[in-house]
């Protein structure tokens, strides 16, 4: 969650190896036929831009049918570098479970807030609409408005289950037109999942205390009309997000209230997250507001704030996580906290295992507000396992606390770091942690931790000899959700290619020839 960032990027990446808003009004969209002649601003990309040949996309003659009686609106056609597509606009609200099918020559459009079902309230009841919106593998959905976003309301679900060769893509109008380059961001809202798992920092109600049941709810940042989350069901199920790319998101709907590529609000452990890429979010790559969240295989590239932001009592288990910042852009790699009511329980807790976090910042320090690559504060418990942090020009860890029982805690096992000479930052307030105390908490030289590590990553994120030499911590002792591995970092070696094919390539991170360009729209 940003606190003091500008709205536009002017930099360009050099890592070649590798609150509520004032309005939420739907844009009129593209309307009729839109033809774009792309004669300039076609950025270089790992995959070649299509040339005008007979293989260019041709528009479908009509939009597919869906079960919802509102149907899809035929919004004309749009032309970009890959050809011309039929534009099929989603209704503002899905009231019936529906499927968006993969159809040649069709792109799906959102031109404002799109609600999946209607919120049935704090607890499950007959008021729930029980709507599931399904995206078939390979479906591409783009936003034609900067304030467009998808809200999966409590009591409803998303089924975005792509495949390794046919990922589901959520992106922007500019991406379809072929107008984006390495600096593009903030072109639409993002994907928001809302559930009934416990949260803290209540907007209304109170957290559980002394046998009193929780009534705690919050409003989604920037939403002008109710988009509530929170409840008492830790196992709540908001659906599935698997093999998905979310590009160019993070619109600012009001000051300090931005959406991310992926925002979870009170989602429960029944929700499935696996193989998700965030590319060039103008805020965080993902922010987890409360709930019980389990995620694996995350590829987070180019966020302009933090890669992972966890707060408001979230209980999160994350494994196999790549965090790669653009040089000279972004804030910290992680921000873990509880924003306001630090006496609330449950305390925010993140368990992060098998991660590789890269923040090279060749010519500048990337941190604007976090001031260190890993920032922990205010009633949060952070556990780091089997990690590689490459941050040679920046401090690695900053810890704040308000004192007493609300002190931030840190536990690290088999975590290696490359930092600048300072390495650690404490709290600026009286009674806060000193930098020396933060260093003691990390414990370099014990438990497999090393804050003077020399990385030997290849391709920008693949373990080399020095990473392979570090003994891994057995994370299966922590939770049955974690997979047993015998290595640190997110990618074991060159034969470990879980990230390839379903991701997209940019100058910030190249995931190989089976992955396509982040600046292009797949045609198959």
């Amino acid at each position: 969650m940003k606190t003091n960032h500008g709205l536009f990027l002017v930099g360009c990446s050099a890592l070649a190896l590798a609150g509520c808003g004032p309005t939420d009004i739907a844009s009129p969209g593209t309307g009729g036929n839109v033809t774009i002649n792309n004669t300039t601003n076609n950025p270089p990309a790992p995959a070649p831009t299509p040339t005008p040949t007979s293989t260019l996309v041709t528009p479908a003659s009509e939009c597919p049918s869906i079960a919802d009686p509102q149907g899809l609106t035929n919004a004309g056609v749009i032309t970009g570098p890959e050809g011309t597509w039929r534009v099929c606009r989603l209704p503002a609200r899905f009231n019936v479970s529906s499927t968006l099918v993969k159809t040649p020559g069709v792109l799906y459009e959102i031109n404002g807030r799109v609600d999946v079902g209607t919120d049935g309230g704090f607890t499950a009841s007959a008021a729930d609409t029980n709507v599931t919106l399904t995206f078939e593998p390979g479906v591409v959905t783009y936003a034609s408005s900067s304030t467009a976003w998808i809200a999966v309301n409590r009591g409803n679900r998303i089924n975005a289950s792509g495949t390794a060769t046919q990922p589901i893509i959520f992106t922007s109008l500019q991406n379809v037109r072929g107008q984006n380059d390495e600096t593009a961001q903030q072109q639409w809202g993002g994907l928001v999942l809302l559930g009934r798992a416990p949260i803290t920092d209540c907007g209304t109600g109170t957290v559980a205390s002394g046998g009193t049941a929780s009534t705690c709810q919050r409003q989604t940042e920037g939403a002008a009309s109710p988009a509530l989350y929170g409840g008492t069901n830790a196992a709540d199920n908001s659906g599935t997000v698997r093999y998905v790319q979310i590009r160019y998101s993070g619109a600012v709907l009001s000051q300090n209230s931005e959406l991310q590529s992926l925002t979870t609000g009170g989602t429960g452990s029944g929700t499935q997250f696996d193989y998700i890429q965030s590319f060039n979010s103008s805020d965080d790559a993902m922010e987890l507001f409360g709930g019980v969240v389990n995620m694996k295989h995350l590829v987070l590239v180019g966020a302009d704030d933090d890669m992972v932001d966890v707060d408001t009592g979230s209980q999160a288990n994350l494994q196999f996580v790549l965090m790669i910042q653009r040089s000279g852009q972004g804030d910290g790699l992680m921000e873990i906290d509880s924003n306001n009511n630090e006496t609330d329980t449950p305390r925010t807790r993140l368990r992060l295992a098998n991660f590789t976090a890269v923040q090279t910042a060749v010519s500048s320090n990337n941190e604007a507000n976090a001031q260190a690559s890993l920032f922990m504060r205010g009633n949060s418990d952070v556990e780091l396992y089997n990690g590689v942090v490459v941050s040679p020009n920046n401090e690695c860890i900053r810890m704040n606390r308000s004192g007493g029982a609300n002190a931030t805690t840190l536990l690290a096992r088999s975590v290696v770091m490359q930092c600048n000479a300072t390495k650690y930052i404490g709290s600026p307030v009286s009674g806060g942690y000193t930098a020396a105390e933060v260093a003691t908490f990390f414990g370099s030289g014990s438990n497999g931790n090393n804050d003077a590590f020399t990385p030997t990553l290849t391709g920008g994120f693949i373990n080399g000899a020095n990473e392979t030499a570090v003994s891994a911590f057995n994370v299966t002792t922590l939770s049955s959700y974690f997979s047993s591995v015998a290595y640190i970092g997110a990618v074991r070696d060159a034969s470990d290619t879980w990230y390839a094919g379903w991701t997209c390539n940019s100058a910030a991170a190249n995931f190989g020839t089976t992955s396509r360009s982040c600046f292009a729209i797949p045609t198959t």
Side-chain angles (χ1 to χ4, degrees), residues 416-500:
V416 297
M417 305 190 301
Q418 182 187 38
C419 320
N420 69 11
T422 302
K423 298 184 183 180
Y424 305 100
I425 305 176
S427 306
V429 299
S430 176
Y433 292 132
T434 66
E437 287 177 312
V438 177
T440 298
F441 297 147
F442 178 75
S444 184
S446 62
N447 298 309
N449 301 326
N450 182 356
D451 66 6
F453 186 73
T454 300
T456 55
L457 298 173
T458 63
F461 54 85
I462 300 168
N463 284 355
N466 288 358
E467 292 78 20
T468 300
V470 180
S471 297
F473 180 85
N474 181 9
V475 293
T476 61
T477 62
L478 308 171
S479 168
S480 60
Y481 178 73
F482 288 125
S483 299
S484 177
V485 295
Y487 58 92
I488 68 167
V491 180
R492 181 184 63 244
D493 54 31
S495 66
D496 183 12
T497 58
W498 62 262
Y499 54 83

Side-chain angles (χ1 to χ4, degrees), residues 209-232:
S209 177
T212 302
S214 172
T215 56
C216 188
Q217 299 183 95
R218 283 174 60 92
Q219 167 84 336
T220 299
E221 285 190 332
S225 57
L228 298 173
Y229 60 91
T232 59

Side-chain angles (χ1 to χ4, degrees), residues 169-207:
I169 299 174
F170 296 94
T171 191
S172 66
L173 172 66
Q174 295 89 333
N175 193 189
V176 176
R177 288 174 170 172
Q179 296 174 325
N180 285 347
D181 60 16
E182 294 289 338
T183 69
Q185 58 169 14
Q186 205 176 80
Q187 294 174 343
W188 67 293
L191 180 60
V192 181
L193 275 62
L194 307 169
R196 293 190 175 115
I199 63 171
T200 62
D201 297 55
C202 313
T204 61
T206 58
V207 297

Side-chain angles (χ1 to χ4, degrees), residues 367-382:
E367 287 85 22
N369 296 297
Q371 300 176 19
S373 294
L374 312 181
F375 181 29
M376 308 149 199
R377 64 181 178 185
N379 196 18
S380 63
D381 300 320
V382 181

Side-chain angles (χ1 to χ4, degrees), residues 16 109 128 146 203 258 269 273 340 354 391 427 439 476-477:
E109 179 202 63
D128 283 344
S146 63
E258 310 89 359
S269 60
F273 298 102
N340 299 306
N354 292 96
S391 188
S427 306
T476 61
T477 62

Side-chain angles (χ1 to χ4, degrees), residues 122-472:
F122 185 77
T123 59
S125 69
D128 283 344
T129 53
N130 296 310
V131 168
T132 298
L133 177 60
T134 298
F135 295 78
E136 286 192 344
V139 160
V140 177
T141 302
Y142 77 89
S144 60
S145 163
S146 63
T147 56
W149 55 295
I150 298 176
V152 182
N153 291 298
R154 289 185 299 193
N156 304 276
R157 299 180 182 181
I158 186 173
N159 178 18
S161 298
T163 68
T165 57
Q166 291 279 290
I168 294 164
I169 299 174
F170 296 94
T171 191
S172 66
L173 172 66
Q174 295 89 333
N175 193 189
V176 176
R177 288 174 170 172
Q179 296 174 325
N180 285 347
D181 60 16
E182 294 289 338
T183 69
Q185 58 169 14
Q186 205 176 80
Q187 294 174 343
W188 67 293
L191 180 60
V192 181
L193 275 62
L194 307 169
R196 293 190 175 115
I199 63 171
T200 62
D201 297 55
C202 313
T204 61
T206 58
V207 297
S209 177
T212 302
S214 172
T215 56
C216 188
Q217 299 183 95
R218 283 174 60 92
Q219 167 84 336
T220 299
E221 285 190 332
S225 57
L228 298 173
Y229 60 91
T232 59
N233 181 13
D236 196 41
N237 185 351
S238 296
T240 300
V241 181
R242 191 169 190 267
Y243 287 115
V244 165
Q245 296 177 22
I246 307 175
R247 306 178 182 178
Y248 309 110
S249 61
V252 178
L253 302 183
S254 66
Q255 186 177 4
N256 296 335
S257 293
E258 310 89 359
L259 295 178
Q260 289 69 227
S261 288
L262 177 63
T263 303
T264 67
T267 57
S269 60
T271 312
Q272 305 296 307
F273 298 102
D274 205 359
Y275 298 100
I276 301 170
Q277 180 179 20
S278 165
F279 179 70
N280 277 25
S281 171
S282 70
D283 195 47
D284 304 316
M286 57 177 55
E287 186 161 8
L288 315 180
F289 291 92
V292 180
V293 184
N294 296 319
M295 295 183 174
K296 284 181 180 175
H297 302 106
L298 306 178
V299 175
L300 313 178
V301 178
D304 199 38
D305 195 8
D306 309 306
M307 295 297 171
V308 175
D309 195 336
V310 182
D311 48 39
T312 62
S314 182
Q315 309 295 290
N317 294 321
L318 277 56
Q319 188 177 24
F320 309 120
V321 182
L322 280 173
M323 294 178 271
I324 303 173
Q325 273 193 341
R326 289 175 291 159
S327 182
Q329 302 296 336
D331 196 14
L333 291 163
M334 292 178 1
E335 180 180 337
I336 316 300
D337 61 23
S338 189
N339 294 340
N340 299 306
N341 301 317
E342 295 180 358
T343 59
D344 282 0
T345 55
R347 292 169 59 93
T348 297
R349 191 216 68 212
L350 169 67
R351 287 176 178 157
L352 178 61
N354 292 96
F355 62 97
T356 300
V358 179
Q359 189 178 48
T360 58
V362 172
S363 60
S364 65
N365 186 313
N366 279 27
E367 287 85 22
N369 296 297
Q371 300 176 19
S373 294
L374 312 181
F375 181 29
M376 308 149 199
R377 64 181 178 185
N379 196 18
S380 63
D381 300 320
V382 181
E383 302 175 25
L384 305 176
Y385 302 96
N386 300 337
V388 179
V389 178
V390 180
S391 188
N393 296 313
N394 306 308
E395 299 83 354
C396 276
I397 299 177
R398 176 187 173 198
M399 292 179 65
N400 278 4
R401 70 170 179 178
S402 56
N406 303 319
T408 306
T409 70
L410 169 64
L411 175 69
R413 297 290 185 268
S414 297
V415 176
V416 297
M417 305 190 301
Q418 182 187 38
C419 320
N420 69 11
T422 302
K423 298 184 183 180
Y424 305 100
I425 305 176
S427 306
V429 299
S430 176
Y433 292 132
T434 66
E437 287 177 312
V438 177
T440 298
F441 297 147
F442 178 75
S444 184
S446 62
N447 298 309
N449 301 326
N450 182 356
D451 66 6
F453 186 73
T454 300
T456 55
L457 298 173
T458 63
F461 54 85
I462 300 168
N463 284 355
N466 288 358
E467 292 78 20
T468 300
V470 180
S471 297

